[in-house]
Amino acid sequence: MRAVTAVTDHDTEYSDQPQGPQSAETAEPSVPPKAGAWDDGLIARRAAGQAGDLLETAPPAGTGTYDDGQLKERLDALRELVGLSRTRLDGPTLAEAGRVLDEAAARRRLSARHTVVAVAGATGSGKSTLFNALAGVPLSETGLRRPTTSAPIACSWTDGAAGLLDRLGIPGRSRRRPLQGQHADTPLDGLVLIDLPDHDSAAPAHREQVDRVLALVDAVIWVVDPEKYADAMLHERYLRPMAGHAEVMFVVLNQVDRLPGDAAEQVLDDLRRLLDEDGIALGEHGEPGATVLPLSALTGDGVGDLREALDQFVGERRAAARRIGADVDAAAHRLRPVYAAGRQTGLSEAAREEFADRLAEAVGAAAAGQAAERAWARGANKACGTPWLRLWRWYEAQRAATASAPAAAPPAEEETTARQRVEHAVRAVGDAAATGLPTAWGQAVREAATRGAEGLPQALDELAVAADGPDAGARQSGTASGSGARPPRPGWWPVAVLAQVSMTVLQVLGGLWLLGQIVGVVSPNLGVPVLMMLTGIVGGPCVEWACRFAAKGPARRYGQDAERRLRDAAAACGRARVLDPVAAELLRYREVREQYVRVRGISTTGR
């Protein structure tokens, strides 16, 4: 179990290393990372609750065995993931995933019967000698001259491997057959063995060939010797980046015949320790992982064990699928920073409410409500006030209109402030929606909010003008509201008007009665006309005061309704222009997140 844990540690510690068999120079860099029909918060929470939980339970890269159906599903998911991400991520970020898809498609089109295994090692490690020992005939040149192997040499135990060798770029003159390869039932049936140049060769072209072929073969046999088994170049350039490919890896300690006594076991134990530190799972105790063997290619000691292990490995016909699965694991690990969110994502109800509040503040919903309340109260006072007071107010209004200057346009500072409030609200909601998202998707969400906000201040200005506000409507059309409709009147309003008319009639009748007595038309009787006049004079202001008190509640409700209407209109405008595009972007992220979960090889059914 220690080896499996090491793989997980490797994923974290060496996340900046190339996750594949290519060289460090050619590796692609990683990019670091409630209710309602349009509920983007729910969408993101579903994605986080489903994909996030699944990612936490993902198996370490390279430790699983994938059947052909599951591998196809993962490749299809990776292809879909790349397609959905092309407009959000740059080319270099997706380049490694694209290479994996291309190479997987190319390999799956070729023979599934054959297993291509490369023999790689440092100068003087004896890999060519081992290659010849496995073939049973000297096919690759060996000797003291370095480098001995200048180009890959292939040996196929079975016919039909031409397409695979063409893919590796190995010419016909470099293709060989083993001594016993004429029989179909020969052990190692289906094996295609490739002898590579030295990976530490002084010739750059040799190293380039090693890196190119290692990226295409199904498995690799690393040949190390007692002198260079701990070489930093081998571990840092190849073994650590290929830790996820442990199941398709053999590590053989060659030249053990040169080690006296128990030294071979000590070196082998130290080699296992180094491989464990590299994050390579070792295939011990029945667990999947790399096979580590000691042998001497020169004397033949241990070569039979390797041949037996290769025969079983090749006979399973699983190497190609395992290699492709490991490549997909490596690509998924490389892409994790651009798809895996660091926390729960989405727009919360509080963020949406705050956005609506900011838009309502920018459009002046509260001020419009207060103006509507005052206008309704003025209308009630005007309708229920005494005629003499209304006449006096009309006179004062006419005199004030004659003496006052034309109304000035709203100050530019107020317009600028409102626009700034809208921009700040859009930035705040974009930041809230992008919180926790990987960098690329967070930027896409912010850009969606910014694009949607274009023209939003003008739209809010139109709402403010067209809103059902009494003051605005009165200024524009002289009516009680912008739409030309009068404010609603409570049921007691006509009664109050009739009472006020009655008080006025009493005053008029009492005055005419007194005037008739003065001119002698009516017989003298001061009590009744004076009482009528006093009743009208006192009753009129009392009725007006009572109406003013009774109008407070309806006026307040009318103002609140006007504020709510304008607030709802501003919120609907902001939702259509900003929140809906943000929700669409979060939905797109959910889709790619689900595809990324499938790429990781984690089933989402039943969750």
Side-chain angles (χ1 to χ4, degrees), residues 298-329:
L298 185 61
T299 65
D301 184 23
V303 175
D305 295 336
L306 176 60
R307 183 187 294 271
E308 182 180 348
L310 277 175
D311 184 52
Q312 180 181 356
F313 181 77
V314 173
E316 292 175 352
R317 304 285 191 265
R318 298 290 302 142
R322 288 173 180 171
R323 170 59 195 262
I324 295 173
D327 287 344
V328 174
D329 284 337

Side-chain angles (χ1 to χ4, degrees), residues 346-434:
L347 269 179
S348 64
E349 187 68 27
R352 293 200 296 271
E353 287 294 333
E354 183 179 0
F355 180 64
D357 291 341
R358 292 179 184 274
L359 293 186
E361 183 181 359
V363 81
Q370 294 173 0
E373 181 180 350
R374 290 193 298 269
W376 200 96
R378 283 197 301 270
N381 294 336
K382 181 179 179 181
C384 301
T386 62
W388 324 118
L389 183 59
R390 291 168 60 186
L391 182 64
W392 173 254
R393 288 174 179 169
W394 174 84
Y395 171 74
E396 289 292 332
Q398 293 298 321
R399 189 176 66 173
T402 304
S404 63
E413 292 79 3
E414 294 183 5
E415 182 177 353
T416 302
T417 301
R419 185 177 299 271
Q420 290 174 348
R421 288 173 178 170
V422 173
E423 293 174 353
H424 184 267
V426 172
R427 284 196 303 271
V429 76
D431 291 340

Side-chain angles (χ1 to χ4, degrees), residues 172-417:
R173 65 178 181 274
S174 299
R175 302 179 185 183
R176 308 285 190 269
R177 294 298 298 271
L179 183 62
Q180 66 276 36
Q182 292 85 355
H183 306 288
D185 57 347
T186 301
L188 302 180
D189 177 58
L191 174 64
V192 180
L193 202 62
I194 311 295
D195 186 19
L196 296 179
D198 302 333
H199 67 73
D200 60 349
S201 173
H206 294 182
R207 298 195 301 270
E208 291 174 1
Q209 289 190 70
V210 172
D211 295 337
R212 179 183 62 81
V213 175
L214 284 178
L216 302 177
V217 296
D218 301 329
V220 58
I221 300 174
W222 289 103
V223 182
V224 298
D225 61 76
E227 294 180 357
K228 295 184 178 180
Y229 74 91
D231 180 58
M233 179 179 181
L234 171 64
H235 289 268
E236 295 177 5
R237 182 183 175 92
Y238 293 104
L239 295 182
R240 288 180 185 174
M242 293 184 65
H245 296 70
E247 285 191 74
V248 292
M249 187 184 300
F250 294 81
V251 181
V252 298
L253 177 63
N254 193 17
Q255 303 175 9
V256 293
D257 56 304
R258 297 169 47 191
L259 298 174
D262 296 334
E265 288 298 330
Q266 294 176 3
V267 173
L268 193 64
D269 289 341
D270 194 46
L271 174 60
R272 290 192 178 97
R273 178 187 62 82
L274 292 174
L275 294 175
D276 187 71
E277 291 178 356
D278 290 334
I280 297 177
L282 303 181
E284 299 175 338
H285 311 295
E287 296 177 353
T291 300
V292 182
L293 294 172
L295 55 82
S296 174
L298 185 61
T299 65
D301 184 23
V303 175
D305 295 336
L306 176 60
R307 183 187 294 271
E308 182 180 348
L310 277 175
D311 184 52
Q312 180 181 356
F313 181 77
V314 173
E316 292 175 352
R317 304 285 191 265
R318 298 290 302 142
R322 288 173 180 171
R323 170 59 195 262
I324 295 173
D327 287 344
V328 174
D329 284 337
H333 179 78
R334 183 184 291 274
L335 292 174
R336 182 181 177 87
V338 297
Y339 292 116
R343 49 171 293 183
Q344 195 175 48
T345 58
L347 269 179
S348 64
E349 187 68 27
R352 293 200 296 271
E353 287 294 333
E354 183 179 0
F355 180 64
D357 291 341
R358 292 179 184 274
L359 293 186
E361 183 181 359
V363 81
Q370 294 173 0
E373 181 180 350
R374 290 193 298 269
W376 200 96
R378 283 197 301 270
N381 294 336
K382 181 179 179 181
C384 301
T386 62
W388 324 118
L389 183 59
R390 291 168 60 186
L391 182 64
W392 173 254
R393 288 174 179 169
W394 174 84
Y395 171 74
E396 289 292 332
Q398 293 298 321
R399 189 176 66 173
T402 304
S404 63
E413 292 79 3
E414 294 183 5
E415 182 177 353
T416 302
T417 301

Side-chain angles (χ1 to χ4, degrees), residues 475-490:
R475 288 194 298 269
Q476 294 179 36
S477 59
T479 63
S481 68
S483 60
R486 294 182 179 275
R489 297 183 178 184

Side-chain angles (χ1 to χ4, degrees), residues 32-33 336-342 345 434 436-443 589 593:
R336 182 181 177 87
V338 297
Y339 292 116
T345 58
L437 290 175
T439 303
W441 299 100
Q443 182 63 28
Y589 172 70
R593 173 100 171 182

